[in-house]
Every structure is written in C-alpha cells, then in structure tokens.
Amino acid sequence: MAVIEIKNVAKRFGEYQALHDINLTIADQEFMVLLGASGCGKSTLLRIICGLETASEGEIWIDGKRVDHLAPKDRGISMVFQNYAVFPHLTVFENIGFGLRMQKLPNDEVKRRVERTAGLMHIEQLLSRYSGELSGGQRQRVAVARALAMEPDVILMDEPLSNLDALLRMEMRAELKGVLAESNTTAIYVTHDQVEAMSMADRISVMHEGKIVQAASPIEVYRNPAAKFVAGFIGNPPMNFLEASPQGGGKFSVAGHSFDGPSAANSNLQFAIRPEDMTLAENGFPAVAKVVEPLGAHLLVTCELDGKLFRAILDSEMQVKPGETLKLSPVQDRIRWFDPETTLAVA
Amino acid sequence: MTAATTEVVEPSQDTRKAGRFVYVTGVVLLCAWVLVPLYFLLINTLSSPETVNSYPKSFIPEFDLGSLTFFAGFDGILTALKNSVIVAAMTMVMSIVIGAPAGYALSRFEFRGKELFRLLILLTRAFPLPLLALPLAVMFIRTGIDDTVFGLALVHTTLALPFAVLITFSLFSGIPIELEEAAWTLGCNRLTAFQKVILPLVLPGITASAIFAFVISWNEVFAAAVLTIENRTLTAFLLQNLDTSPLHLKFAGGFILVVPALIFIFAVRKYLFAMWGIANR
C-alpha cells in the first residue's frame, strides 16, 4: 500500500535547472513510467524519490508520510539500477538476501524469501554463482530479485533493460510486467524507450527539459498528445505536421485542402496526423513518394508534401515506386491540432 | 598484386625468429638485472666471513651461517632491527588509517579545492627530505618526540601517505558508486555500506597499499639517520657503521633488509596483479 506524491519538486545543479516544479501523484500499485530523452531529468526525479539525491525544493510523500529527510533505507523502497549493481564479492544467494540480512531476519526466513524471489525470476539454479559468472540478462534478474526480496512498498527502476540485447529485452519486458503485477507494489520505471513505456505502463509521464509534459495512459498519450513534443516523440515514425491557416467558421486550410478545425481558434495552427492514419483517396493531398520502405507488415512511404517530409504507413500489398504521386487522405477523427506559439494541443 | 601484398604483410619465418630472439633476450636480461645482485647478496650472506673477504669469489654459497651469526651478535643490531619493524608497522597502520579515508573522500565527494588538494598531496613529495630534516629535528626536540620510533614513524607516514591516498583513491574510483547506492537502498547507512560492500572489494588493494607503505618505511634511511640517535632503525644503523663495519656485516645487513621486502611483495603479488588488472594465476 503506497501512494507516492511528488509536490513542487525542483532540482538545481549549480546554475543548471534539472527539474522545474514537478507535481505528480502515483496511485497505489500503479505502474508509472517516466519517459523522455536523455538529459530530460527523469533519472534525477527517480533518484530524488529514492533519496540518493536531495531536491532543491518541494516534498516527496510516500504512503502519507513525508520522506524528504529520510535516508533511502527508511523509505520503504527498492531500486533496480541500470548497470545492475550486483555485488561482485557475494554469491547470487547472498546478493538477493543482502537486504534481508541487513534487517537481521532469521536464516530460514532469508532462505525462504531468497528462494521464492529467485523462483519468480527463474534463477534458482544460479544461487551459488558469483556475478562474474553471469550473463547480462542473468545479472538483471538477480538485481530485480534482490529488489523484490525486500517486499518493498515501492520499486524504482532506472532503465533496467537498456543494457540487454533486443530479443532479451522483449522477453524481460513481458516477464517484469507479470512479476510486478503480482507483487502488488507501486512501480516507477524510467526509460527512454517508448515501446517499453507503451507496453508496460499503466500511466506514462512524458518528460521534457525538466518538466512533465503529459501524464496519462499509454493509449491517451499516443492518441491525444498534450503537446507537440509528445506527438513528435511518441510513435515510430512520429506524427506528421503541416501548417494550417484559418478560413473562418472553424475551417482551416491545410496544403490547399479545407478541414474542420477547433472552432474557437482563429490563428495559424499546426495540423497533425499519425502516418498510419492516412488512406489513399481521390480527393487526398498530392504527395510525391521519395523513399519506399517495405517493412513486412506494412509499407512506410516517405513523401514530400507542402514542401515538407511526410510519412504514411500503407498496406504492404501496395505497389509504390519512388517519384510516384500518391493521393493521401487523413482519417477525419484522428486529426489533431497544435498551437505553434504554446506548442500545446488545441481541441 | 595480392601475392605481393601478402608477402609484405606476413612476417617471414626469419623475422619471426628474430622477434622471438629479441623477446627472449629481453626477458633474460631483465631477470638477470634483478636476480644477479640478489644472488650475490645471497651467496655472500650464506658464506663464512673469511670467504666473503677473500678472493676469488665462489659462485656457490657455502651455507655457512658465520656471517649471519656475526650480524646477529653485533652490538645494537637486534634493537635496530626491532626498531625498523616497529616503525614500518606504525607507518603502515597510520598511512592506511589516514590515507584511505582521504582516498575515499577524493573519489566520492565533490568539494571546493579538490584538484588543488590532489596536487598538494603530490607536492609533499616535491620537497627534498634534507631540506625538511633540520626544521623537523628542531620541532621534534621541542615536542619531545625526537629519537623515538613514533616520531620517525610520523615522518615515514608523511612519505608513504601520498601513495596511500592516490592508490586508495584509484581503488575506490574503480568501484561503481551504484554498488554503494544499491547497499543504501537495501538497508545500509554510509558506514555499513562501506563495511559490507566497499571494504571487501578494496581489501586486496588496501593490503597492497599498506605493504607498500611498510616497504617505504623499511627502506628509508635519511630521516632515520637524522632524527634518531639511540633508537636507530636498521638502515640508519648500517649507514652509521658503514665505514667501520666489515664486509660480511654489510652483506648480511643488506640481505636482512632485502628479504622482508621481497617476501612481502611475493606474498601479496596476487593482490598487486589484481590491482594492475592482470588475472591472477
């Protein structure tokens, strides 16, 4: 049982402001992902919650208790580090049992909990090995098992899968999600990998330049980005943007075509659409195909439209050649609008 | 064309043989450089005083303990030997007790003047000891620690400290901070994290660094000669009697000085190799 409340947290490193006035509440047993490019402050925020870093301003509350002044060990948290941080001088068993030994639990209790968490992470057969004898993936499992063995209220993970190869990462992703769901802990997971974020999170907080730009469910972040940054960051390839000028009466002109836009707005906007929300239609935008990439499941076509690069994902059966002009039409209810001044979404 | 290129790139059989020859010669020369003086020291120590002083020399030791017995019976030698051991042991303990925390602080904390501090540590080795000896002697007399093993150990600690700090600094820097942070999140405070995680990992290096401090003190002669009169260490004692003592005493003394250093380094060679990143075999 642990709700995490982050209130007005700011962090400065000398002149550099790493975090600006962060406010975020993470529900009990929620899986929250902090997503952002490197240097956006996501790891700093995690380290402040953990107590490895102190905030310049603001408060951290865990389970209704203010914890800013507490040492990491007194916060009821466990952390999984990016480089695993498995103690090289201890066996896997002693690594997983390290925190339990620090709590002076009796031997049989330590043994029971180590064996249970090792079983969860499928590393029972490695218990007598040392870190040097393990592969990266196995070390990662040890690090997670060590955090879980503490039976913490909150588990914090700092890019735990980023050092693994792609296949293993996908496997671990699903496994971690399952194990965490069963452990009833609140989890905060830092990553720069949007696929990881989308697939694992209950809620994603997209961070940019030390601020949380949007905190919402993965599908909401994908479908209704709150700001142009989110639209351009999430999705691979990201959203397409075109300039839109008002024609009055809620109509906007985009590359010579007229669309229904936000009725209240009466200034230039940006029209945004996901590549997969384009269809071929007679009355569509004329776009000249530049690069055609058959990706198996579908066809990614990079075109030139209104003087800009524009990507569309089409059916893989389509025969498109570079230089060909396509007639692309957006799916009406998938169109989003952004204010170029504030970069925020306009409804 | 390809054939010509292969010929140029591939070293011929002769070149390889020559390279091998240079390598083997180099190894043999380097070994000889170290081992031959030690061997001479050994045969002269294990020969009777008469043989040591006669000519021509034998290349086979006689296993006569005459020289060593003479050495052991020489007035004051055993006290000097005891002093040397005590001073070196005190130096070893003090260098690590003072040096290791400094090394830890340098590697883990950011503070104003850190770079300057590191420079100053090195600078302590920049002043020649003769320059410092007189003011030190005066200060020691005033504080009443002149001619004591403790006073000398203090001077030796200053000599060994820069190495202790810099070696432990690199040891601590080689341990990822995440290991310590992981320990903190698992219920440790700074002290217990150090004790349970960092210490076991740096212990080999600390041992090596301690032994290095021991050897520095053991071999040091100048400060020992200036700052002690009654309580001489072995090096100072041998230096004092250099012109009056017989040849076999010098050889035996030299042998007794070299042996502990050799044994110690041999005993911790595994840790030294580990410290230098060579796999221990």
Side-chain angles (χ1 to χ4, degrees), chain A residues 301-318:
Chain A
V301 187
T302 306
C303 330
E304 194 177 303
L305 173 57
D306 202 22
K308 282 180 163 182
L309 287 183
F310 191 98
R311 293 192 186 86
I313 290 175
L314 302 175
D315 193 283
S316 58
E317 301 284 294
M318 290 279 308

Side-chain angles (χ1 to χ4, degrees), chain B residues 7-52:
Chain B
E7 218 167 288
V8 176
V9 173
E10 284 279 309
S12 69
Q13 206 64 29
D14 282 351
T15 327
R16 255 193 229 152
K17 244 185 215 166
R20 180 115 196 113
F21 178 74
V22 170
Y23 173 74
V24 170
T25 319
V27 169
V28 168
L29 278 178
L30 277 175
C31 288
W33 176 267
V34 176
L35 292 178
V36 168
L38 284 177
Y39 184 67
F40 279 133
L41 201 56
L42 180 80
I43 52 177
N44 281 302
T45 307
L46 294 179
S47 301
S48 64
E50 294 74 36
T51 325
V52 173

Side-chain angles (χ1 to χ4, degrees), chain A residues 47 50 52 72-73 77-79 81 83 85-89 95 98-99 102 146 150, chain B residues 176-189 192-193 196-198 200-201:
Chain A
R47 291 171 60 84
C50 183
L52 295 172
K73 68 185 175 72
I77 48 147
S78 280
M79 177 129 167
F81 292 83
N83 63 2
V86 173
F87 304 130
H89 62 297
N95 259 286
F98 187 89
M102 289 307 295
R146 185 174 65 183
M150 297 289 285
Chain B
I177 181 85
E178 284 85 355
L179 287 184
E180 237 174 312
E181 290 179 339
W184 297 340
T185 63
L186 291 168
C188 289
N189 55 34
T192 49
K196 299 234 177 243
V197 174
I198 305 302
L201 293 173

Side-chain angles (χ1 to χ4, degrees), chain A residues 80 121 139-149 155 157 160 172 176 179-180:
Chain A
V80 178
M121 297 310 295
R139 272 179 228 177
Q140 186 54 61
R141 286 167 188 274
V142 175
V144 174
R146 185 174 65 183
L148 287 173
I155 187 161
M157 284 171 279
M172 281 295 285
L176 254 185
V179 167
L180 286 171

Side-chain angles (χ1 to χ4, degrees), chain B residues 121-241:
Chain B
I121 290 172
L122 279 179
L123 273 184
T124 56
R125 294 300 318 226
F127 298 103
L129 201 53
L131 197 75
L132 299 172
L134 194 63
L136 270 178
V138 171
M139 205 173 82
F140 275 29
I141 290 168
R142 283 199 188 138
T143 48
I145 54 169
D146 59 304
D147 199 14
T148 60
V149 286
F150 176 69
L152 188 57
L154 271 186
V155 177
H156 286 176
T157 303
T158 9
L159 293 177
L161 203 52
F163 296 108
V165 173
L166 293 178
I167 292 175
T168 51
F169 163 70
S170 63
L171 284 174
F172 289 126
S173 298
I175 294 176
I177 181 85
E178 284 85 355
L179 287 184
E180 237 174 312
E181 290 179 339
W184 297 340
T185 63
L186 291 168
C188 289
N189 55 34
R190 258 191 195 273
L191 191 70
T192 49
F194 184 85
Q195 196 188 327
K196 299 234 177 243
V197 174
I198 305 302
L199 200 58
L201 293 173
V202 293
L203 211 53
I206 296 263
T207 315
S209 155
I211 280 166
F212 198 50
F214 187 96
V215 172
I216 285 178
S217 166
W218 181 262
N219 288 337
E220 201 284 331
V221 62
F222 189 87
V226 172
L227 294 173
T228 59
I229 301 156
E230 293 294 318
N231 292 311
R232 297 246 128 159
T233 59
L234 190 56
T235 49
F237 187 85
L238 288 174
L239 181 72
Q240 182 187 20
N241 300 306

Side-chain angles (χ1 to χ4, degrees), chain A residues 199-212:
Chain A
S199 64
M200 296 175 87
D202 290 329
R203 206 146 58 100
I204 298 178
S205 293
V206 184
M207 292 187 67
H208 181 51
E209 290 176 347
K211 297 186 183 105
I212 292 179

